[in-house]
Amino acid sequence: MYTTLLRIIFNMPGGYDSVVKTLNQEAIVLVALDIARQKGLPAVTMRAVAGHFGVTAMALYRHVADREELARLVVDRIGSHIRPAAPQGDAREDDVAGDHTTDHADWDDRARAWARAQRTVLRQYPGTAAWLIENGPAGPQAYRLLENLAAALAGSGLDDARTARGTALIMSWTFSRVAVEDRAGPPRGERADTFVGGLTTIDPERHPVTARIGQEFFTLDDEEIFETGLNWILAGLGADAAAT
Amino acid sequence: MYTTLLRIIFNMPGGYDSVVKTLNQEAIVLVALDIARQKGLPAVTMRAVAGHFGVTAMALYRHVADREELARLVVDRIGSHIRPAAPQGDAREDDVAGDHTTDHADWDDRARAWARAQRTVLRQYPGTAAWLIENGPAGPQAYRLLENLAAALAGSGLDDARTARGTALIMSWTFSRVAVEDRAGPPRGERADTFVGGLTTIDPERHPVTARIGQEFFTLDDEEIFETGLNWILAGLGADAAAT
DNA sequence: GTAGCGTGGTATACATAGTAAACATCCGGC
DNA sequence: GCCGGATGTTTACTATGTATACCACGCTAC
């Protein structure tokens, strides 16, 4: 409203759009992305996004179908930030065609790079990993990333069926680890009844192994857990591929 | 309310409690468990549970602190249904002490049995796996089950740190697979823009590998994906244990 | 120029959640 | 016979998504 007036006041060719954010899908997604980064994906509510524009929540519905669509757009945009670099160390962009020409010997390094890139970006947007597990990856970026991973695994010599299963395994590990890391973040040691937090009070009589390795849960950092799991997964895949 | 009157009407020693459910924590958890099984954990709302007793939602707060506590009680109760049988085939109950006396050679079969038992039960209560990923396992049953798994892995010869990481990996795979299966359930082929549903429309030009293996995502059933992933994980763990 | 129509934002309201606060009721013990 | 704790109710407030009706602007066709 009053756009004409504001255009006169600001006296600029493109109107006031370059100063005050215009309400369109692109801008909405960007604001939502910002909220997701700062407060997590669940904090991306219609009212919160609308508030950043000084409009009502209903205004957003002229540009996105509903919250579900907005979430998908946000997650897809997050996916566009994930650029698994080639493991050789050269900084070239990953282009799908190019990836297929790389040496097949380093398939596991490519898979590792893929998982690390996923984790790095997903960690910046709390709640996204959990969302992906519950809703499933979708959209163009998801396809691009799936292709990257599948291409890497296909280079191992696994057949198609195993390649498909392998992508599921690596994606699962990546998403669920980040989801776990998301919650373990800020309120460290706040809730005593949490799984990890409660490990100090384990009764060694009834739970001898847990009591013994309980310390490990504290000292291990997320990085180590993630990398070790990834190594085991790739070792298992590699052994299977070699045996075929 | 009117308990005296009802006791007179029903004319029974214990009052009407044996006919109409009494409101106490145990009964609340059982009703919540029932709702979780039929409609999933997210459907366990305070009002829904209260409705089954013919009371208001606020009445529940005399017996549970809040929805969070109720959810934890429900999940713990679900955990009590998980009884990973010994892999030898004998039907004895798994008791923690007994588990440790079993032969260490079959550590991977024990881990497999653990994961299968988890999956079988978690599948009966949709949304629980996702809840576990987001909130983390907690409570007595979680400890018992963790001990079971850790004990199995410790039998592989892995050191404590690796055992801890191994439990995280196996739990992650189990939980996230069931979480994925939960959503893939009823609305199969409903949303065309879903990850799996969209795989038919993959452009073979841009996503050659995905297009090729796309069929596999349809034909593979959940059982196969789960078992194969589990095998790879255990193979990776085993190789590492053997190398140490 | 003006009538009308489409685009886009607003106002209002409803449904579903959890839950706080004050009140009511009932029952057992003094 | 009354009192106090335990237990359920009432009311209401919050946050969330979203349906519906409305309205204001500005462009286009006459």
Side-chain angles (χ1 to χ4, degrees), chain B residues 120-138:
Chain B
T120 301
V121 174
L122 288 181
R123 276 167 63 94
Q124 294 167 15
Y125 298 88
T128 308
W131 188 95
L132 282 166
I133 292 172
E134 287 204 71
N135 301 91

Side-chain angles (χ1 to χ4, degrees), chain B residues 9-48:
Chain B
I9 293 172
F10 284 96
N11 188 31
M12 30 179 67
Y16 66 107
D17 299 355
S18 40
V19 178
V20 180
K21 288 202 194 77
T22 311
L23 201 56
N24 55 39
Q25 195 179 74
E26 173 70 11
I28 288 173
V29 170
L30 289 180
V31 164
L33 205 60
D34 205 54
I35 297 173
R37 189 164 40 77
Q38 295 186 244
K39 304 186 187 170
L41 194 57
V44 176
T45 67
M46 300 306 270
R47 284 176 172 85

Side-chain angles (χ1 to χ4, degrees), chain A residues 2-4 44-47 57-58 61-62 66-67:
Chain A
Y2 306 136
T3 51
T4 324
V44 177
T45 67
M46 301 306 271
R47 283 174 174 87
M58 290 312 296
Y61 286 85
R62 299 286 178 194
D66 51 18
R67 205 207 107 108

Side-chain angles (χ1 to χ4, degrees), chain B residues 6 21 42 49 63 68 77 83 86 94-95 99 105 135 177 180 208 223 225 228:
Chain B
L6 284 167
K21 288 202 194 77
V49 173
H63 306 278
E68 256 309 293
R77 187 60 64 101
R83 307 250 137 215
D94 81 77
D95 61 317
D99 280 350
N135 301 91
R177 267 320 290 178
V180 168
E223 197 84 15
I225 297 176
T228 310

